[in-house]
Amino acid sequence: MVLSAFMVLAIYGSLRWATMLATAVAGRVFGLLALTLVIALAGSWRAATRLAARVAARLAMLVAALALFPVSGFPLDWLVRLRIARLARAIGNGLASLPHVIVPYHGQQPATAAVIMLGAGVLLAAAALALCTSRPRIGQGRLLAAAIPLVVLAIVPSALAEPRLPGLHGAILLVALVAFLFSERVPAARAGGAVGFAGAAAVVALVLAPRIEQAQPWINVKALGTARIGAAERFSWAQTYGPLSWPHVGTEVMTVQARFRSYWKAEDLDLFNGRAWVSSSVGAGWQTTVGVSRSSLARWSESLTVTLKDMYSNEIIAAGVASAPQPAFSLSLLPGSAAGTWISAETLGPGASYRVEVYAPSPSRAQLTNAPASYPMNELAPELQLLLPAATDSRQPTASASEPVQFMPFGSRQRVSASGGASAATATALLRSSPYAPVFRLAERLRAGVDTPYGYVRAAMRYLSRGFTYDQSPPTGTYPLLTFLLDSHEGYCQQFAGAMALLLRMGGIPARVAAGFTTGTYDSSTHSYVVSDIDAHTWV
């Protein structure tokens, strides 16, 4: 009975953990569960009287533990050929990218997805090892030790992205946890009554929870990524659209020596997943300077020197499109989610300094007005795409419930085109049945009467400057940007930038969201810009 209750809790936790990945991972989840069962069963044979049985048990546990790596997504060949250094490097790179990931992870970096799955494997294995004993009874201490990693397995995904029915998930976890912890104490004949009692307690909790729910959580898990580490600060650029949780006390976080004023970019968020702007993948290959004339490159290219003060960061803070920084860092340098952004596998802290070549143009209003509506669509098609929920009753957007809609460039008669194997008519029908249909109608109204891309951009800016107010604790909803655009009209930079990027893509203007810092204050004595945590910003 103990093992059955253990597997029920493990299955629930594993299914919750799988929601952190946008791609289908059912096979990997059940593979990890099978290995967990092997470890738990083999562990009970470790003290067998026969030597052969003990050796077989230990060998089975070792093989199951090693199999966690290929089942999680790392190449089996690395284990077979003992490429341990390569495996360790891939795990390190995956771990380094985790601070930049928001769930569900839509990126296409294999190491990141594999590390997420390996986290589930490690928790499952730890729980199974806690059960390993040759005694007739496992004991309450071991049951508790096994329960802790399984509870972590279940609640971490909910802390990072609230599920559709959080109360129901809490009730399921409660019943499964009680059934496991008391599986040895309650006789089989009374098991049904015990589970029923736990279920009744869960129902009471479901009724009481809305009455005692706090506006602010006792422990703000999402804010932990922005907490101070020692005397320095760290920023998470995830677009939560909730109360502003960035450090905001005026601490000097970096200086930038530069010829031109610019926004200092840490990360590009180029994919809208139905709810929020996220980074689509690590190591995008296309170059944003494609088609740029040599004279423009010469005019707007420069070398920045960035020095971190009271801040830790894995992102290479730069501007525009950046080349690899110098000097190269000791571990490895990962390309970011878009060309011209970079991630250091080694966390950089106070005193770290690097030089980076950037291309950061600042065209005049006349140049923007006269810019043609002609884009290299083979390169910029992803910048005109949105993942939208399939129907108005989609309460919680997920990868499986969202479909790509490809918008056509400004000036095209056709507004959307075929995408992902669907026809243009299907894409249009999806758009018009989506919760974001009112935003598309708004984009159509803003587009009427303007004849240039820049004219449309200015129309969107005017719309967001009238009747919208700045608020660092805005109301949220299932679709926060819809709440901001169509209902509350209250928000801060995340809402304004995210909403404008939506309007621009729907209007045929390639756009994305960027996160980092505004220019800061110029210090003439050092010829550098002094940037504080108050300058943290998101823009379109």
Side-chain angles (χ1 to χ4, degrees):
M1 184 175 175
V2 173
L3 189 58
S4 298
F6 171 82
M7 289 306 298
V8 168
L9 188 55
I11 290 170
Y12 172 73
S14 299
L15 293 177
R16 289 293 305 131
W17 191 274
T19 62
M20 294 199 295
L21 290 169
T23 54
V25 291
R28 299 195 185 281
V29 168
F30 289 111
L32 293 176
L33 288 168
L35 294 175
T36 302
L37 185 58
V38 169
I39 293 173
L41 290 173
S44 64
W45 301 337
R46 290 184 306 169
T49 54
R50 294 185 179 181
L51 176 62
R54 294 200 302 270
V55 172
R58 285 168 170 75
L59 182 60
M61 294 175 69
L62 177 61
V63 170
L66 292 175
L68 292 174
F69 294 95
V71 171
S72 297
F74 294 101
L76 176 61
D77 181 67
W78 291 358
L79 281 181
V80 173
R81 300 192 179 189
L82 297 178
R83 296 180 174 176
I84 307 303
R86 189 169 183 180
L87 176 62
R89 188 163 56 251
I91 293 174
N93 290 342
L95 290 172
S97 67
L98 289 183
H100 319 285
V101 169
I102 69 173
V103 297
Y105 177 58
H106 286 79
Q108 304 187 14
Q109 179 70 6
T112 302
V115 161
I116 292 174
M117 285 306 303
L118 184 60
V122 170
L123 290 170
L124 288 168
L129 287 171
L131 291 182
C132 293
T133 178
S134 58
R135 296 178 180 179
R137 292 177 62 84
I138 295 176
Q140 203 63 27
R142 284 185 175 272
L143 288 175
L144 183 60
I148 290 174
L150 296 183
V151 171
V152 172
L153 194 71
I155 67 174
V156 165
S158 298
L160 296 176
E162 184 176 318
R164 178 178 174 181
L165 299 171
L168 178 60
H169 281 284
I172 293 172
L173 179 59
L174 173 63
V175 172
L177 182 60
V178 169
F180 174 58
L181 290 177
F182 293 93
S183 54
E184 282 195 326
R185 292 188 175 186
V186 179
R190 298 182 180 179
V195 172
F197 178 78
V203 171
V204 172
L206 282 173
V207 174
L208 294 179
R211 301 177 183 274
I212 63 175
E213 184 176 4
Q214 301 291 313
Q216 295 291 334
W218 294 336
I219 300 176
N220 191 346
V221 178
K222 292 182 179 179
L224 294 180
T226 67
R228 294 173 67 87
I229 305 176
E233 296 176 342
R234 183 158 195 160
F235 294 82
S236 169
W237 305 112
Q239 305 293 282
T240 64
Y241 307 113
L244 186 65
S245 58
W246 283 332
H248 208 245
V249 295
T251 302
E252 184 179 323
V253 294
M254 68 177 185
T255 61
V256 183
Q257 289 184 326
R259 283 193 300 138
F260 305 121
R261 294 174 57 87
S262 188
Y263 279 11
W264 315 120
K265 184 171 64 176
E267 188 172 19
D268 275 322
L269 309 172
D270 59 342
L271 172 70
F272 184 75
N273 66 7
R275 183 183 184 277
W277 287 93
V278 300
S279 296
S280 63
S281 62
V282 177
W286 61 274
Q287 293 296 322
T288 52
T289 55
V290 63
V292 178
S293 67
R294 291 185 178 180
S295 60
S296 293
L297 284 172
R299 171 70 177 86
W300 297 109
S301 295
E302 67 165 318
S303 178
L304 307 180
T305 299
V306 180
T307 303
L308 300 190
K309 298 296 185 180
D310 287 337
M311 178 172 70
Y312 287 96
S313 177
N314 286 86
E315 296 93 352
I316 300 301
I317 315 279
V321 183
S323 59
Q326 298 296 328
F329 299 106
S330 57
L331 293 180
S332 62
L333 205 61
L334 307 174
S337 62
T341 60
W342 300 88
I343 298 170
S344 168
E346 176 182 343
T347 300
L348 307 179
S353 184
Y354 52 86
R355 188 178 68 257
V356 57
E357 298 290 331
V358 302
Y359 170 68
S362 181
S364 66
R365 177 175 296 187
Q367 289 173 314
L368 291 170
T369 301
N370 296 325
S374 177
Y375 307 118
M377 284 303 293
N378 58 326
E379 305 288 353
L380 292 178
E383 314 304 308
L384 284 169
Q385 190 178 96
L386 298 169
L387 287 177
L388 299 180
T392 55
D393 60 354
S394 296
R395 296 287 304 279
Q396 181 68 24
T398 64
S400 59
S402 300
E403 298 292 339
V405 176
Q406 181 70 56
F407 294 88
M408 297 298 289
F410 185 92
S412 303
R413 292 184 178 180
Q414 188 176 338
R415 295 298 193 249
V416 297
S417 68
S419 177
S423 66
T426 301
T428 301
L430 168 63
L431 174 60
R432 297 193 183 281
S433 66
S434 163
Y436 290 87
V439 182
F440 180 66
R441 291 194 292 270
L442 171 60
E444 291 285 83
R445 292 200 303 272
L446 295 176
R447 187 166 170 169
V450 296
D451 53 8
T452 66
Y454 186 54
Y456 177 76
V457 171
R458 289 182 59 80
M461 292 175 65
R462 284 194 299 271
Y463 178 81
L464 292 171
S465 66
R466 298 171 181 171
F468 288 79
T469 58
Y470 183 87
D471 190 330
Q472 293 185 357
S473 298
T476 60
T478 302
Y479 303 104
L481 294 182
L482 280 185
T483 300
F484 169 73
L485 265 175
L486 307 176
D487 184 16
S488 71
H489 293 179
E490 298 173 357
Y492 53 98
C493 57
Q494 289 189 2
Q495 282 83 359
F496 280 92
M500 184 167 176
L502 275 180
L503 290 172
L504 292 185
R505 285 199 181 183
M506 287 184 175
I509 310 296
R512 59 173 59 171
V513 172
F517 300 89
T518 54
T519 307
T521 304
Y522 187 71
D523 184 346
S524 59
S525 63
T526 60
H527 304 288
S528 61
Y529 293 94
V530 179
V531 182
S532 77
D533 56 12
I534 295 176
D535 297 309
H537 190 48
T538 296
W539 64 95
V540 63

